[in-house]
Amino acid sequence: MDSIEKIVFDSEYFDALSTLDCGQIFRFTKIDNGYLVLSKDKGAVVYTQNNKTTIECHAQDKDYFINFFDLDRDYKTICESAKKENISILSSAVDNSKGIRILNQDKVETLFSFIISQNNNIPRIKGIIEKLCKGLGERKDFLGMEYYSFPTAKKMAEIDLKFYQEIGLGYRARYIKNLAEMLNNGFNLENFSSLPTKELRKELTKILGVGTKVADCVILFGYHKSDSFPVDTWIEKVYIEDFKGKLKDRTKIADELMLRFGENAGYYQQYLFYHKRLSQK
């Protein structure tokens, strides 16, 4: 039996719930003591208690999850920089959500997931991704819990369009099928890694079904380019209600906020998004 490794971290700058519940990941499930978190073919259990956040994973996956949860980055400095902006809502957001860490997710899985997320709610997104993995992924086990790996592009390209329609993808079915075929034919997302954010966005939006919002999410959560600033309904509310912004076009709003906050834009976006959504629930 594989040995289990525990990684323990101070919860002030790594809270399990806020990291998982801020819209950046869909493959996690609430369990008794925390969350089962899935990435590619790997599983880990994450929980926060007594001012500590613990990750339990297979010993051979330790480095993967240290990177996945971005544990080598200094989030205290990021939070201090946010406070120095002297923006009331940003300071409040940091106070309430500084336990968020931006995950380093697999680029392919992130792109598929955010194509699925368009015009969709989180329970449905999670359900569709689960059906996708169960239908085409490999059965796995972690601490007695069954899960399925995210399927390979080859497997996804081989399956008929009907499968995607039947798992609830609707008009997105052809986007998923098209991307799977592109990847299976040699299209490689890693080739764009060195591009500046706006050029990367330009390349990603050439893919069928990928608009600015999806591209910006993939850039932030898959490529970890932290100057990206995805704009959704909640961020648009922040921009209009709290920043008193005048722009109507979400791409232009994203560009304005990227320019304003630079390399920390993506971190601030997550604090603001999570705070706004929680405050209006």
Side-chain angles (χ1 to χ4, degrees), residues 103-255:
L103 305 173
N104 289 300
Q105 299 183 68
D106 177 68
K107 296 174 181 65
V108 169
E109 185 174 331
T110 307
L111 181 52
F112 276 120
S113 297
F114 278 94
I115 289 174
I116 292 167
S117 78
Q118 302 176 75
N119 302 314
N120 222 338
N121 61 57
I122 286 175
R124 266 200 94 235
I125 299 160
K126 290 178 76 166
I128 291 167
I129 293 172
E130 196 175 330
K131 286 175 192 165
L132 176 68
C133 296
K134 202 166 186 176
L136 304 179
E138 286 182 27
R139 188 190 173 283
K140 299 279 180 181
D141 180 279
F142 183 69
L143 297 178
M145 292 175 281
E146 178 185 274
Y147 70 92
Y148 290 82
S149 65
F150 198 86
T152 63
K154 183 176 187 298
K155 184 84 175 170
M156 290 177 72
E158 287 168 354
I159 205 84
D160 194 80
L161 184 68
K162 191 165 181 279
F163 167 81
Y164 297 113
Q165 292 165 337
E166 285 173 349
I167 63 169
L169 277 164
Y171 69 88
R172 308 168 199 83
R174 67 191 185 97
Y175 302 159
I176 296 297
K177 175 75 170 160
N178 173 73
L179 176 59
E181 288 172 349
M182 284 173 67
L183 292 163
N184 193 44
N185 290 329
F187 180 73
N188 190 345
L189 292 173
E190 294 297 339
N191 293 343
F192 303 138
S193 294
S194 61
L195 292 178
T197 294
K198 282 198 178 174
E199 285 181 41
L200 176 53
R201 182 205 272 168
K202 203 176 288 182
E203 290 301 325
L204 291 176
T205 51
K206 289 176 185 173
I207 300 166
L208 184 69
V210 177
T212 301
K213 157 82 185 329
V214 168
D216 286 350
C217 286
V218 176
I219 291 164
L220 184 55
F221 308 132
Y223 289 87
H224 208 111
K225 290 190 182 288
S226 59
D227 59 339
S228 179
F229 202 106
V231 176
D232 73 332
T233 308
W234 294 108
I235 291 294
E236 192 172 24
K237 274 177 179 277
V238 169
Y239 176 77
I240 292 164
E241 294 172 8
D242 302 287
F243 288 8
K244 308 301 179 197
K246 301 292 181 222
L247 296 172
K248 301 282 185 237
D249 181 277
R250 287 186 181 179
T251 302
K252 288 178 179 170
I253 294 170
D255 290 344

Side-chain angles (χ1 to χ4, degrees), residues 37-84:
V37 180
L38 307 174
S39 175
K40 295 177 76 173
D41 60 346
K42 304 179 196 314
V45 165
V46 186
Y47 52 90
T48 298
Q49 51 192 212
N50 303 325
N51 301 319
K52 298 287 177 195
T53 295
T54 302
I55 302 163
E56 294 184 17
C57 62
H58 289 304
Q60 71 264 27
D61 295 335
K62 180 182 178 183
D63 289 345
Y64 182 87
F65 282 108
I66 285 172
N67 176 64
F68 183 79
F69 286 105
D70 207 33
L71 297 187
D72 290 332
R73 198 177 307 274
D74 177 10
Y75 277 70
K76 183 174 185 231
T77 302
I78 293 166
C79 290
E80 286 168 353
S81 298
K83 289 291 193 81
K84 285 176 187 162

